[in-house]
């Protein structure tokens, strides 16, 4: 269905839901997946500062690409620098350059109140994207615990 998917990831732990979504909608042998990891940078005095090292950013992107390739998907990855207030714009630029049919985003970081006060990368991407956007759920569905009640049911 989708031939080109851009998936924007954060840390490996936070990216799992987005990668699961990609595996659900991608078709093996037909879909190309581009993993995008943005190193958020901000100006601190006269110099730019990033919260993560190049090695940490590289690990995040490479682990996501590896996971998708192990699932049988054609995947590649990019690491880009982006100013903290321009994350959504960087995602949209990358989607346009990749000619993405679909953009997949991880779980939103902020809660509802913080989103209303400070804005949201997810909402900016949803509003400005020229292609469909899928957002990972905030919480994973609860797995029902299977318990053995055989001992209590039978006397």
């Amino acid at each position: 269905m989708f031939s080109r998917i851009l998936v924007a990831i954060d840390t490996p732990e936070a990216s799992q839901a987005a990668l699961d979504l990609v595996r659900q909608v991608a078709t093996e042998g037909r879909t190309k997946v581009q993993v995008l990891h943005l190193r958020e940078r901000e100006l601190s005095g006269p110099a730019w500062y990033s919260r993560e090292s190049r090695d940490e950013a590289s690990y995040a992107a490479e682990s996501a690409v590896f996971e998708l390739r192990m699932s049988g998907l054609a995947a590649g990855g990019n690491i880009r620098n982006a100013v903290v207030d321009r994350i959504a714009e960087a995602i949209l630029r990358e989607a346009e350059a990749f000619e993405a049919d679909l953009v997949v985003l991880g779980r939103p970081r902020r809660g509802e109140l913080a989103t209303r006060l400070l804005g949201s990368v997810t909402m900016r991407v949803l509003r400005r994207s020229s292609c469909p956007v899928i957002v990972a759920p905030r919480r994973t569905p609860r797995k029902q615990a299977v318990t053995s009640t055989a001992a209590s049911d039978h006397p």
Side-chain angles (χ1 to χ4, degrees):
M1 182 174 184
F2 297 104
S3 61
R4 300 173 81 75
I5 298 175
L6 176 77
V7 56
I9 63 161
D10 196 10
T11 63
E13 300 80 31
S15 304
Q16 198 57 50
L19 296 177
D20 290 342
L21 279 174
V22 169
R23 282 194 281 274
Q24 290 174 10
V25 298
T27 306
E28 186 177 341
R30 297 191 67 217
T31 304
K32 292 180 182 177
V33 180
Q34 183 71 27
V35 174
L36 174 64
H37 179 75
L38 296 172
R39 285 185 69 209
E40 296 180 19
R41 302 184 77 193
E42 56 190 320
L43 192 59
S44 177
W48 287 96
Y49 169 76
S50 180
R51 294 181 185 144
E52 67 181 342
S53 69
R54 288 185 181 148
D55 290 341
E56 290 169 331
S58 179
Y59 174 76
E62 288 175 10
S63 65
V65 169
F66 177 77
E67 227 179 286
L68 292 171
R69 286 182 180 172
M70 291 303 291
S71 298
L73 299 172
N78 281 333
I79 301 168
R80 303 273 192 244
N81 293 322
V83 179
V84 171
D85 294 342
R86 303 285 184 233
I87 300 297
E89 290 80 3
I91 292 170
L92 293 170
R93 267 195 314 273
E94 192 72 20
E96 186 178 321
F98 183 60
E99 298 176 358
D101 299 328
L102 175 69
V103 175
V104 177
L105 301 175
R107 296 181 180 123
R109 289 184 190 178
R110 295 182 177 145
E112 189 173 336
L113 178 62
T115 296
R116 289 178 187 259
L117 293 173
L118 304 170
S120 165
V121 170
T122 302
M123 291 306 295
R124 284 186 214 130
V125 171
L126 285 169
R127 287 184 185 130
R128 298 176 184 165
S129 179
S130 61
C131 65
V133 178
I134 297 178
V135 181
R138 209 175 275 283
R139 293 183 187 103
T140 56
R142 290 184 181 173
K143 295 181 182 178
Q144 291 181 337
V146 178
T147 58
S148 176
T149 58
S152 62
D153 289 345
H154 299 289

